[in-house]
Amino acid sequence: MSAAGAPSTPARWRRPLRGLQAGALPAALVLGGILLALNLISFGFGEAPASVLLRAFEGTWGTPYGVGQVLFKATPLLFTGLAFSIALRAGLFNIGAEGQVAMASLAGAVVAAGLPPGTPWAVAVPASIACAMATGAGVALVPALLRARLGAHEIISGIMMNRIADVLAPWLLASALGTAAMRTADAIPAATLPRLDRFVPALRGSAASVAFVLAVALAFAAHRALSRSRAGREMRFVGLGAEAARAEGIDVPRRRLAAMLASGAVAGAAMTATTLGYKGYYELGLGAGAGFSGIPVALLGRGTPLGLVLAAVLFGTVEQAGLAVNARVPKEAMDVLEALAIVLVAAAAGIGERARRPRLPGAAPR
């Protein structure tokens, strides 16, 4: 019996529920293989599904270079997934991470390129990242204020900010910076992040950088801070029920504002993977898509740092696999596999949550 006197989930159901959730991803792979086979048969690509899947494995986890590329693809997704998870903690949907990443990447790249050549690494990198995170928070400030003060839904205002960023970024590059190449100047060497192959020679040639380590560290640090701080706990109470939180004396608009600003700042830090750790400059479109892909990462990660890391690596694997097999099958086939993984894992989580929910005495069976 539970503390409320209602029967809890029988122990005999706990193992099957865990198995259901663990088997969701393998099921997605099986269904993806079936769809891949139908695709090959229908369009006559002339290669067996097993061969394509083997090539996808070789292009991801089958070689050290593939592993590095998976980590590179996963890094911005981990940042944006963490950003969405922070906002979700307060019951908010930061759909504007796409625009936050774009504007933060541009701002951070401008600072990294404009620093004096003799600036030490310990100053150049933090200054570039701090500027990027401040810009990400600044872009998130508009939907945050509209929600906290006027009650306007952050999804609508977030989409609006994405569209503004789509127009503002090329205008700033062309007019304010005066570059016809739609890119910033190169960052000074001290403002770039080292590649992982400097520490793990087997990853030589891949684009993975120290940004992945920073993303993992930030995920665990943010989880610890939000779980143990008063502000983090109050954000969670607001997410569970704003009216109940307000009745307990919690400043709901303030906590929503703080969650949205923190979310935007973390989204802005995604530029460490693409701008500081890869290109060394920002060009139009760099990092595009990471803001939206972070949403399923956050949902599959279920608010835990390890879950976010594993979800980001999963989607990084799917993205890199799509590039590895693109010559033989359409890249959209991997998009279907990614969608299947999301649907099956979400369905398994929903079934498990429903089964764990206590049932009141006399209620009809579910």
Side-chain angles (χ1 to χ4, degrees):
M1 297 288 289
S2 65
S8 58
T9 305
R12 67 177 181 272
W13 288 106
R14 294 173 185 168
R15 183 174 297 178
L17 286 175
R18 288 195 296 266
L20 175 65
Q21 294 179 355
L25 289 179
L29 293 175
V30 172
L31 290 176
I34 294 174
L35 291 176
L36 181 60
L38 294 175
N39 178 74
L40 292 171
I41 293 173
S42 301
F43 294 96
F45 284 94
E47 191 161 351
S51 176
V52 175
L53 293 176
L54 178 61
R55 187 173 296 276
F57 174 77
E58 291 174 348
T60 53
W61 296 98
T63 62
Y65 171 80
V67 173
Q69 288 300 102
V70 168
L71 297 181
F72 167 65
K73 296 289 196 306
T75 305
L77 302 184
L78 180 52
F79 279 114
T80 56
L82 175 61
F84 189 83
S85 182
I86 292 173
L88 195 63
R89 186 181 185 89
L92 303 173
F93 280 72
N94 184 13
I95 202 74
E98 188 78 5
Q100 293 154 20
V101 170
M103 299 308 298
S105 299
L106 175 58
V110 169
V111 171
L115 291 172
T119 305
W121 182 88
V123 175
V125 170
S128 303
I129 297 177
C131 179
M133 295 182 72
T135 302
V139 176
L141 179 62
V142 175
L145 286 175
L146 289 175
R147 177 60 189 268
R149 302 303 177 188
L150 302 178
H153 206 288
E154 69 279 0
I155 291 182
I156 302 301
S157 54
I159 294 174
M160 174 194 72
M161 293 304 297
N162 286 339
R163 299 301 299 163
I164 292 176
D166 288 342
V167 176
L168 192 58
W171 180 82
L172 288 173
L173 286 170
S175 299
L177 298 180
T179 171
M182 288 300 170
R183 53 157 285 182
T184 64
D186 291 341
I188 64 172
T192 60
L193 294 176
R195 299 283 179 91
L196 284 182
D197 57 14
R198 180 180 299 183
F199 311 100
V200 185
L203 300 178
R204 189 175 305 280
S206 69
S209 69
V210 175
F212 178 76
V213 181
L214 294 178
V216 174
L218 183 60
F220 280 89
H223 178 75
R224 182 181 179 87
L226 291 174
S227 299
R228 300 199 173 192
S229 67
R230 177 181 177 180
R233 291 192 296 269
E234 290 186 353
M235 286 180 192
R236 182 171 180 268
F237 295 151
V238 171
L240 292 175
E243 294 304 320
R246 189 177 286 108
E248 291 296 322
I250 296 175
D251 190 339
V252 174
R254 179 184 178 187
R255 292 308 177 201
R256 282 176 172 169
L257 183 64
M260 202 66 172
L261 293 181
S263 177
V266 172
M271 60 82 66
T272 57
T274 53
T275 302
L276 301 185
Y278 176 43
K279 289 284 190 177
Y281 57 85
Y282 172 75
E283 62 182 357
L284 193 63
L286 184 63
F292 294 123
S293 296
I295 297 175
V297 169
L299 296 179
L300 294 186
R302 299 182 65 80
T304 66
L306 181 59
L308 289 172
V309 173
L310 294 178
V313 170
L314 167 67
F315 287 106
T317 301
V318 173
E319 286 190 13
Q320 178 61 21
L323 295 176
V325 302
N326 192 33
R328 288 165 174 78
V329 296
K331 186 178 181 296
E332 287 73 18
M334 290 301 167
D335 295 337
V336 172
L337 181 59
E338 181 177 314
L340 282 172
I342 296 172
V343 170
L344 290 177
V345 173
I351 294 173
E353 184 67 25
R354 184 179 179 186
R356 284 191 296 267
R357 192 178 303 152
R359 182 166 58 89
L360 297 176
R366 293 187 294 266

